[in-house]
């Protein structure tokens, strides 16, 4: 039987506020345990929450960036459950009236076509603390520094049909939240993570199959693997005559399996009700418009502009706008009057390859946009060839200075003096009587041989266009 | 002697230099020592801190930096977090809890200069109407030590009535200031919801809880409310509204004051004795020029049912933080996480608290939420709307604070429902967030009866004015039980 | 509405309260009687009435995003039943 997969994602992204959503404690990552857990975060008797304006603003910004409905009257609710990383015995979240309503976002599929993924809602909530399972006298240690960090939970429609689509969507949201500067998107620090709801159904069937929820996945690679594993598992279960049960499952990256978390299932009666310590969050159109003004150019808009104004291909534009940092880097380079296509080729090509090799992000690139622009200008003004530029780039990467310094120091300046090139050509011709004879008797292919020899003799520094032209003249 | 004076009178004496704060503090500490074994109204007495605070207050006064409350001995209900002092909320759960911070109310009163004598006994987590649910033993009514003082602010009411402290704080979720004030013959005020900060006041039912003063007279309450009220950025439900001087209108004449008498407050369930006293008080108001208007609050009968859904629902969640992990009682040798939770909570909470947590848990649980919680919230609006309509026609509403005088200890402790009904006249006020007072209005069979006065939102000044004028004509609030004179 | 012993047990579990087996019957009775009291609500038609979660018709005030808290771990953990290396300890959480 042919199966169809149905996937919906719940993405949790930490908002990059300075203080927590309901207290004035710091959200900075990596502090000593419980040094950033204040009385409110600890849920001491008598303490009360007060909402951080910045969290509301950021959530609204996300709503605007995805064309979602903004709820001008949203309500915080308590989700009641006992767990040691949830100090009050409830999590403050939003249930019936979330701050962001329905919206949508486009993802690009592998074949280049676009698909629209619906966003059901996005709501604000507080993050939990962390349980440390290293052995403390046979006990678990609780660090509540993270408790109260603002989270935006972005819930998608079950619109994705493969793990790849799910990853594309997650990447798109990941890029977006960084574009609009509401999250640092740091997945290693768990500031961006997701739960995936996965089900399968026979192709053509209208009703959804029973879904399983894969909890807390914090890398793109794991999302893809976990979903694919889960799809296989569910198909196996059904084909063996069994039934998929609705449950929460955990992806274990080490064992490469998903397994049931029955413990979490058992008492899932969260008893949501409006938090009586908080009042409805109410704002007007003017507030929304003010936030709209702070929205930067969004990835899709940027892509379109790169294509129409700069003449880049859809593909190249898509790569360059995939992250805000990359796009900013690109724009910083072309801002120094360098040709856009040349810049795009370099960034997508050599720069990205080197970054990948060294496992660095564009923000960590040792060659700044200014350095790169300086080098590309030397290509444009024929000081160096594209090939020599690779050596210059390496020099800059290794901290040997800007392009001109590297060119100078290494003597990489292109030879453009006609008489100097002519001298080299003459020497090559003189040293290749056989080849000359064959060429003259019609073996045109040997032209390449002469170019190669000239370039070699000039240590690659002869201007290739000039070499071509002059060789043609000499050999004819 | 000092203890027969009202707070306002003591304030005048301090100002005139007729007495020092240290002298007053010593006097009241001595009284607590002498009499509290009969009443059990204090859980903690902070004698040492009190004396040094009193000395500090005297210095301040000498330096000319004193306000009307500087140096006044005072008690806090043990529901308010007090830094470095045991804060138990009447529960075993917090038998070892020394709060690391001060409640806003405590801070404000401290800034105003009051000298804390100690923390008063209360029903566990403020859940009760008789002070019998306290882990620290029941409190007795100074008018008859076989009787309850009411609750949950029973320790505050009892200690003020026996003049062990000039005044105290209380909190009122369904009548917990007004009912014990009534049963102990003192003056208690529950302000408009949001008037006084809830920060640091251990929550019972967040949308109903409100702190207020418990004292001998309306004038005392006005002075205390001046210090307690005001916007607090730490409490989202605190209201950004200017605080008037609550003593300013005390002496306004009551000519033309429109008093509404809801027929529902004088029906079945009201004891004859209480009714007679309340009617007499109303006659007194008539004689002062007030106009009496019969009104109806048709949904009054629903207040108790609605309250026993809303309050337990909120408390079931508010009390989840008591889990034996970060503070409070923790069971011995928990075998796993569930055992830690269940035994710590099972051992730490008393029966009534458990009962209410369970009712609340049930009312919020899947399948029952709409039938109980949402239904109750809808009815809450209807109850509130009754008052809105009434206040279009009247300035204040009057009636009994409690259907009967203080009952005997043990009389209702096995019958939660009859206990719940003793708050029948006070609960609706909390549901609607209105300010209400109980004012001593006389005695029925030698036990005090309180007159309840209810005003519109933020109309505390009018409440205090009405009560003060009455207290100018009567001396019920000046009565002291014989054995505590 | 009346609750039986099993209801009491499941509610007590949800609320993480240990209840003595011998008191379950009593809880069942008292909780049922409270539910009977509350039953009166059902006699009223509330169709179309907006639930009132809060006594005052006001909206949430927002706080500026500022870090004002300092580390008070030592003070907070002085009142904690069991801590080690700055962590609160609980029986092992198995996932």
């Amino acid at each position: 039987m042919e199966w169809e997969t149905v996937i919906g994602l719940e993405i949790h992204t930490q908002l990059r506020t300075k203080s927590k959503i309901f207290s004035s404690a710091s959200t900075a990552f990596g502090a000593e345990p419980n040094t950033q857990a204040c009385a409110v975060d600890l849920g001491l008797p008598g303490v009360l929450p007060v909402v951080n304006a910045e969290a509301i603003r950021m959530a609204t910004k996300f709503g605007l960036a995805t064309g979602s409905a903004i709820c001008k009257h949203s309500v915080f609710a308590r989700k009641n459950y006992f767990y040691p990383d949830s100090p009050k015995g409830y999590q403050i979240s939003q249930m019936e009236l979330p701050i962001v309503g329905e919206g949508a976002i486009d993802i690009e599929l592998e074949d280049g076509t676009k698909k629209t993924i619906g966003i059901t809602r996005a709501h604000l909530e507080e993050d939990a603390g962390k349980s440390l399972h290293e052995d403390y006298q046979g006990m678990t240690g609780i660090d509540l520094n993270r408790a109260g960090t603002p989270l935006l939970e972005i819930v998608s429609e079950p619109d994705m049909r493969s793990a790849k689509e799910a990853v594309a969507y997650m990447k798109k949201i990941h890029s977006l939240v960084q574009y609009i500067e509401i999250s640092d998107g740091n997945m290693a620090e768990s500031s961006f993570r997701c739960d995936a709801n996965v089900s399968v159904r026979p192709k053509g069937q209208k009703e959804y199959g029973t879904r399983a929820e894969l909890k807390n996945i914090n890398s793109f690679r794991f999302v893809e693997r976990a979903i694919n594993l889960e799809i296989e598992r569910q198909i196996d279960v059904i084909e063996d005559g069994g039934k998929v049960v609705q449950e929460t499952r955990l992806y274990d990256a080490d064992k490469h399996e998903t397994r049931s978390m029955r413990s979490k299932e058992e008492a899932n009666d969260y008893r949501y009700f409006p938090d009586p310590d908080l009042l409805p969050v109410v704002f007007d159109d003017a507030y929304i418009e003010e936030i709209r003004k702070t929205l930067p150019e969004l990835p899709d808009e940027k892509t379109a502009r790169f294509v129409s104004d700069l003449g880049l291909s859809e593909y190249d534009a898509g790569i360059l706008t995939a992250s805000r940092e990359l796009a900013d880097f690109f724009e910083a380079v072309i801002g120094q009057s360098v040709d856009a296509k040349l810049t795009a080729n370099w960034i997508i090509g050599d720069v990205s390859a080197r970054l990948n090799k060294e496992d660095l992000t564009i923000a960590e690139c040792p060659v700044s946009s200014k350095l790169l622009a300086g080098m590309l200008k030397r290509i444009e003004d024929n000081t160096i060839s594209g090939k020599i530029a690779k050596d210059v780039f390496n020099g800059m990467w290794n901290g040997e200075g800007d392009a001109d310094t590297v060119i100078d120091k290494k003597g990489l300046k292109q030879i453009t003096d006609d008489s100097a090139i002519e001298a080299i050509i003459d020497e090559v011709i003189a040293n290749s009587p056989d080849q000359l004879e064959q060429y003259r008797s019609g073996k045109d292919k040997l032209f390449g041989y002469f170019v190669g020899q000239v370039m070699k003799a000039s240590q690659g520094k002869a201007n290739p266009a000039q070499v071509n032209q002059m060789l043609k003249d000499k050999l004819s | 002697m000092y203890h027969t004076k009202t707070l306002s009178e003591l304030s005048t004496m301090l100002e005139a230099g007729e007495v020092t704060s240290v002298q007053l503090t010593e006097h009241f500490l001595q009284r607590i020592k002498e009499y509290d074994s009969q009443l059990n109204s204090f859980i903690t007495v902070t004698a040492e801190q009190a004396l040094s605070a009193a000395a500090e207050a005297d210095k301040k006064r000498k330096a000319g930096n004193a306000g009307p409350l500087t140096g006044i001995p005072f008690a806090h209900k043990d529901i308010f977090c007090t830094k470095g002092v045991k804060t138990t909320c009447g529960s075993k759960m917090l038998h070892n809890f020394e709060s690391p911070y001060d409640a806003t109310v405590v801070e404000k009163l401290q800034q105003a200069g009051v000298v804390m004598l100690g923390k008063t006994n209360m029903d566990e987590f403020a859940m009760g109407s008789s002070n019998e649910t306290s882990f620290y033993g029941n409190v007795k009514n100074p008018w008859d030590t076989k009787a309850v003082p009411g609750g949950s602010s029973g320790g505050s009411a009892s200690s003020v009535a026996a003049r062990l402290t000039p005044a105290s704080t209380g909190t009122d979720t369904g009548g917990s200031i007004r009912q014990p004030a009534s049963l102990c013959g003192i003056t208690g005020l529950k302000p408009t919801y949001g008037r006084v900060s809830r920060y640091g006041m251990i929550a019972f039912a967040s949308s109903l809880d409100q702190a207020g003063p418990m004292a001998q007279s309306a004038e005392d309450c006005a002075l205390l409310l001046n210090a307690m009220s005001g916007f607090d950025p730490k409490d989202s439900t605190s209201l950004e509204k200017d605080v008037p001087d609550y003593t300013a209108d005390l002496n306004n004449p009551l000519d033309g004051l429109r008093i509404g008498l809801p027929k529902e407050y004088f029906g079945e369930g009201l004891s004859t004795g209480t009714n007679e006293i309340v009617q007499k008080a109303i006659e007194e108001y008539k004689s002062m020029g007030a106009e009496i208007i019969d009104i109806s609050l048709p949904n009054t009968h629903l207040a108790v049912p609605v309250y026993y859904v809303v309050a337990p629902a909120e408390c079931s969640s508010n009390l989840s933080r008591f889990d034996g992990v970060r503070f409070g009682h923790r069971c011995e040798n928990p075998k796993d996480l569930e055992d830690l939770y269940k035994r710590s909570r099972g051992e730490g909470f008393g029966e009534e608290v458990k009962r209410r947590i369970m009712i609340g848990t049930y009312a919020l649980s899947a399948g029952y939420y709409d039938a109980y919680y949402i239904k109750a919230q809808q009815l809450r609006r209807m109850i509130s709307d009754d008052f809105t309509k009434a206040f279009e026609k009247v300035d204040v509403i009057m009636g009994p604070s409690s259907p009967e005088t203080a009952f005997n200890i043990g009389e209702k402790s096995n019958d939660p429902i009859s206990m719940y009904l003793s708050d029948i006249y006070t609960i609706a006020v909390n549901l609607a967030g209105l300010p209400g007072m109980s004012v001593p209005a006389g005695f029925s069979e030698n036990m005090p009866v309180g007159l309840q006065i209810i005003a519109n939102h933020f109309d505390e000044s009018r409440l205090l004015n009405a009560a003060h004028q009455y207290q100018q004509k009567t001396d019920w609030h000046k009565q002291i039980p014989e054995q505590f004179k | 509405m009346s609750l039986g012993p099993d209801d009491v047990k499941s509610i007590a579990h949800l609320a993480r309260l240990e209840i003595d087996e011998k008191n379950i019957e009593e809880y069942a009775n008292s909780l049922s009687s409270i539910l009977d009291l509350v039953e009166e609500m059902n006699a009223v038609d509330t169709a179309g009435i907006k639930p009132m979660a809060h006594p005052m018709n006001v909206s949430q005030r927002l706080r500026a995003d500022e870090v004002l808290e300092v580390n008070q771990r030592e003070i907070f953990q002085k009142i904690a039943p069991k801590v080690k290396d700055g962590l609160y300890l609980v029986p092992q959480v198995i996932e």
Side-chain angles (χ1 to χ4, degrees), chain B residues 89 95 273 343 376 379:
Chain B
C89 222
H95 65 91
R343 274 202 293 133
L379 293 171

Side-chain angles (χ1 to χ4, degrees), chain A residues 139-247:
Chain A
M139 305 192 91
T140 292
I142 306 295
D143 173 10
L144 295 170
N145 279 348
R146 197 179 67 176
T149 299
L151 284 181
L152 187 66
E153 177 172 336
I154 304 153
V155 182
S156 85
E157 290 289 308
D159 284 347
M160 288 152 277
R161 293 291 171 267
S162 71
K164 282 213 154 42
E165 285 185 22
V167 171
Y169 166 77
M170 194 175 170
K171 281 189 171 161
K172 192 71 189 261
I173 297 282
H174 185 244
S175 149
L176 181 69
V177 296
Q178 292 176 81
Y179 254 91
I180 61 175
E181 295 174 315
I182 63 168
S183 176
D184 64 16
N186 190 328
M187 297 173 90
E189 292 173 5
S190 274
S191 32
F192 192 87
R193 53 193 200 260
C194 89
D195 302 340
N197 288 303
V198 180
S199 66
V200 297
R201 62 181 170 192
K203 202 152 194 150
Q205 181 182 303
K206 273 231 163 79
E207 307 82 58
Y208 294 128
T210 307
R211 65 190 163 88
E213 188 183 12
L214 303 172
K215 275 274 177 206
N216 245 334
I217 323 177
N218 66 350
S219 90
F220 297 126
R221 208 171 41 184
F222 288 173
V223 165
E224 185 165 354
R225 283 192 196 164
I227 291 174
N228 280 331
L229 267 175
E230 182 57 21
I231 296 169
E232 277 171 42
R233 189 191 68 87
Q234 290 188 10
I235 293 174
D236 284 351
V237 167
I238 301 169
E239 287 183 344
D240 289 348
K243 266 193 174 159
V244 174
V245 281
Q246 187 168 339
E247 64 180 350

Side-chain angles (χ1 to χ4, degrees), chain A residues 39-111:
Chain A
V40 173
D41 306 329
L42 293 174
L44 290 188
V47 300
L48 297 169
V50 184
V51 181
N52 186 339
E54 195 60 14
I56 300 292
R57 202 185 62 81
M58 287 178 169
T60 307
K61 209 170 168 188
F62 176 83
L64 291 172
T66 48
S68 303
I70 305 294
C71 189
K72 284 186 270 187
H73 178 113
S74 66
V75 169
F76 283 102
R78 293 185 184 176
K79 178 181 183 179
N80 293 285
Y81 66 97
F82 286 90
Y83 206 68
D85 63 13
S86 168
K88 297 183 296 295
Y90 57 84
Q91 177 195 32
I92 306 176
S93 179
Q94 297 190 302
M95 185 57 183
E96 277 172 20
L97 295 166
I99 184 156
V100 176
E102 270 179 54
I105 196 162
D106 285 342
I107 59 168
E108 209 156 301
L109 305 182
E110 275 184 324
D111 62 6

Side-chain angles (χ1 to χ4, degrees), chain A residues 432-445:
Chain A
S432 315
D434 296 351
Q435 285 86 350
L436 184 67
E437 204 184 305
Q438 288 175 36
Y439 179 79
R440 290 219 163 120
S441 61
K443 212 167 176 192
D444 288 353
K445 271 199 264 172

Side-chain angles (χ1 to χ4, degrees), chain B residues 283-322:
Chain B
E283 286 307 312
E284 189 68 50
Y285 274 99
K286 257 195 216 163
S287 76
M288 288 187 276
E291 183 192 347
I292 307 299
I293 301 166
D294 287 327
I295 59 166
S296 172
L297 299 169
N299 292 297
T300 297
H301 65 290
L302 293 167
V304 171
V306 167
Y307 179 85
Y308 279 95
V309 172
V310 173
E314 293 183 9
C315 101
S316 72
S317 176
N318 281 336
L319 268 57
S320 291
R321 67 188 61 201
F322 301 98

